[in-house]
Amino acid sequence: MGIYEELQARGLIAQVTNEPEIREMVNSGKAIFYIGFDCTADSLTAGHFMALTLMKRLQMAGNRPVALIGGGTTMIGDPSGRTDMRKMLSKEDIDHNAECFKRQMERFIEFGEGKAQMVNNADWLLNLNYVDMLREVGACFSVNNMLRAECYKQRMEKGLSFLEFNYMIMQSYDFYYLYQHYGCNMQFGGDDQWSNMLGGTELIRRKLGKDAHAMTITLLTDSQGKKMGKTAGNAVWLDPNKTSPFEFYQYWRNVGDADVMKCIRMLTFVPLEKIEEIDKWDDSRINEKKDLLAYELTALVHGTEEADKAREASRALFSGNGGDDSNMPTTELSEGDIPADGINIIDLMIACGLAPSKGEIRRLIQQGGVLLDGEKVGSIDLTVSLDALKEGVKIRKGKKVYHKAIVK
């Protein structure tokens, strides 16, 4: 099985422009491909996993990745899948975010001479003369076709700014530039980017001739794509200072039952033969599948040592077996912080930073969403004793947030 067939078997490929040619090029290790990353934050998220692991898979098969940092396109903002305009960032913020991306990408792909390259589209986009660019590429784009593009539909309903309307042209220009200056012959992206990406393929062919070998592949982006990596409205970051290895592990440990095998297939490097065996396990082994997924992805991002610690801490949760929970997020309180007759559970959770308001915690308790040492908290009047806190108590908020409180 070639790498292209493996990508298909893992359920990664959504659409392609010229499948026979792409299949041959990818399987023979001749693809020089790029994936773009706009720098809208100072860390990549779990939602970038599909792209990052794809780059790693293809590089392992002999192909050469080009990681395109969107220092220029981030200044415009991609309207795809958006109902509102993205927040405008300063050039300084974008440059800082780009540096953070670089450090994180190095955990996935190998950079160097003859290996992966990292480029920033600010290097060419920010120096373009507007009139010259219009003359060079403007005639290659039909406004009628652009307005029919899926990436603009939601924004058209509420108002599409001219700033955002230019995004497709800029993204297309990226592929055109990379093709000419870096020998880049292939682009990958999410299926919500199909219109933007076709623009780049068509631009190359119109400017350089129909024989120009520029190909496009899009990856599936469903609940395990861009929506993946967000929980309770917060991103699951790859930066350990924003999402700890334990919290990262716990996020994947709590993936919905119906999505576990899809995540294992798409995101991990577990061999397909083993995945097929795992898929045959009966429902009683669902937690083993989740543990495998969580461990594999945590090891990939944070290393095996941190993955081992996170797994041990997770297994110690509410088990009552004295397992090692030293790597669980913990708040240390002083004895003077606790009244002699104990502390109310709501006040304790506020002290641990588990919610911004008492009202939110009160509602969560009333809905059965808080556990203390594995037991559901049935009353907002529950008091946690000083003696219990000296031993350490474990709080679970909702399905994915775990925390230990201890008096030192």
Side-chain angles (χ1 to χ4, degrees):
M1 180 186 291
I3 183 62
Y4 185 83
E5 288 75 22
E6 179 177 345
L7 297 181
Q8 287 182 311
R10 289 183 180 273
L12 289 169
I13 296 178
Q15 304 177 79
V16 299
T17 53
N18 187 333
E19 186 171 53
E21 192 170 4
I22 287 173
R23 182 190 301 272
E24 190 281 328
M25 188 170 289
V26 166
N27 283 344
S28 61
K30 296 177 182 177
I32 302 175
F33 67 96
Y34 95 89
I35 298 180
F37 300 83
D38 276 353
C39 318
T40 53
D42 59 1
S43 172
L44 295 165
T45 74
H48 291 104
F49 250 130
M50 208 174 289
L52 294 169
T53 56
L54 174 85
M55 296 174 87
K56 184 178 179 71
R57 292 184 210 279
L58 289 171
Q59 186 176 45
M60 291 168 63
N63 300 284
R64 290 178 56 194
V66 177
L68 176 64
I69 299 296
T73 42
T74 305
M75 299 189 77
I76 300 299
D78 181 6
S80 301
R82 301 281 299 188
T83 58
D84 56 356
M85 188 169 164
R86 292 184 186 273
K87 177 185 175 182
M88 298 290 286
L89 299 177
S90 69
K91 186 176 184 302
E92 291 72 25
D93 286 339
I94 293 170
D95 289 343
H96 170 72
N97 294 347
E99 286 302 314
C100 295
F101 278 25
K102 288 179 184 179
R103 292 193 295 271
Q104 292 175 353
M105 286 181 183
E106 288 172 347
R107 292 197 66 91
F108 291 84
I109 51 179
E110 188 176 358
F111 293 95
E113 189 68 30
K115 299 175 183 176
Q117 295 173 276
M118 185 172 289
V119 296
N120 190 327
N121 63 17
D123 294 342
W124 56 86
L125 291 179
L126 299 188
N127 295 322
L128 287 172
N129 178 286
Y130 187 61
V131 174
D132 288 345
M133 182 180 180
L134 286 178
R135 288 178 60 85
E136 182 176 9
V137 305
C140 298
F141 290 85
S142 161
V143 171
N144 291 347
N145 290 338
M146 291 174 71
L147 290 176
R148 286 193 292 267
E150 191 67 33
C151 59
Y152 290 140
K153 282 186 178 179
Q154 282 185 300
R155 297 294 291 117
M156 287 288 289
E157 294 176 6
K158 292 194 174 182
L160 176 70
S161 72
F162 184 71
L163 179 73
E164 296 169 289
F165 188 63
N166 280 270
Y167 191 90
M168 181 186 290
I169 296 176
M170 294 181 72
Q171 182 171 332
S172 299
Y173 191 88
D174 281 343
F175 194 16
Y176 176 56
Y177 187 93
L178 291 170
Y179 184 93
Q180 291 182 289
H181 295 85
Y182 292 87
C184 188
N185 50 34
M186 200 174 295
Q187 59 178 333
F188 282 79
D191 60 355
D192 60 338
Q193 293 287 312
W194 182 244
S195 299
N196 287 345
M197 295 169 71
L198 283 181
T201 303
E202 183 61 23
L203 176 61
I204 290 171
R205 289 175 178 166
R206 292 191 63 172
K207 296 294 294 182
L208 304 178
K210 293 184 178 179
D211 293 332
H213 294 280
M215 288 152 281
T216 297
I217 299 181
T218 64
L219 304 174
L220 291 172
T221 50
D222 54 11
S223 59
Q224 271 62 59
K226 285 192 173 179
K227 294 178 183 177
M228 178 178 56
K230 290 194 175 183
T231 176
N234 298 312
V236 176
W237 305 99
L238 304 194
D239 183 343
N241 295 315
K242 296 169 80 71
T243 298
S244 72
F246 172 80
E247 292 168 324
F248 188 84
Y249 180 96
Q250 280 304 133
Y251 172 75
W252 297 107
R253 180 63 179 75
N254 286 285
V255 161
D257 293 0
D259 292 329
V260 177
M261 289 308 304
K262 184 187 292 186
C263 289
I264 291 175
R265 202 172 268 113
M266 287 181 162
L267 304 178
T268 76
F269 286 81
V270 175
L272 285 170
E273 296 81 6
K274 184 175 180 181
I275 289 175
E276 294 311 310
E277 292 178 17
I278 295 170
D279 201 20
K280 296 174 183 176
W281 292 356
D282 61 45
D283 292 344
S284 67
R285 302 182 69 180
I286 185 66
N287 287 329
E288 290 182 61
K289 295 178 184 179
K290 292 184 178 183
D291 178 74
L292 172 68
L293 171 67
Y295 184 85
E296 290 290 328
L297 296 186
T298 305
L300 186 61
V301 175
H302 299 295
T304 55
E305 182 178 351
E306 290 297 333
D308 288 337
K309 291 178 182 178
R311 172 183 269 172
E312 179 63 26
S314 179
R315 289 176 175 175
L317 278 173
F318 316 129
S319 63
N321 63 3
D324 181 10
D325 59 8
S326 60
N327 294 290
M328 191 184 303
T330 300
T331 295
E332 294 186 359
L333 304 168
S334 67
E335 191 166 340
D337 295 328
I338 310 300
D341 57 351
I343 185 172
N344 177 267
I345 183 63
I346 296 176
D347 293 330
L348 178 60
M349 292 179 68
I350 290 291
C352 292
L354 291 174
S357 71
K358 292 185 177 183
E360 180 180 323
I361 299 174
R362 187 179 295 110
R363 286 189 297 272
L364 194 59
I365 290 173
Q366 291 169 341
Q367 293 165 2
V370 175
L371 279 72
L372 184 71
D373 286 340
E375 297 292 331
K376 185 178 292 186
V377 175
S379 169
I380 59 174
D381 296 320
L382 177 72
T383 297
V384 183
S385 71
L386 178 58
D387 287 343
L389 283 166
K390 287 181 177 179
E391 294 292 325
V393 298
K394 300 167 189 173
I395 302 168
R396 171 174 158 182
K397 174 192 169 188
K399 293 183 177 180
K400 299 180 176 71
V401 178
Y402 300 83
H403 204 87
K404 183 169 70 173
I406 190 168
V407 167
K408 290 287 190 180

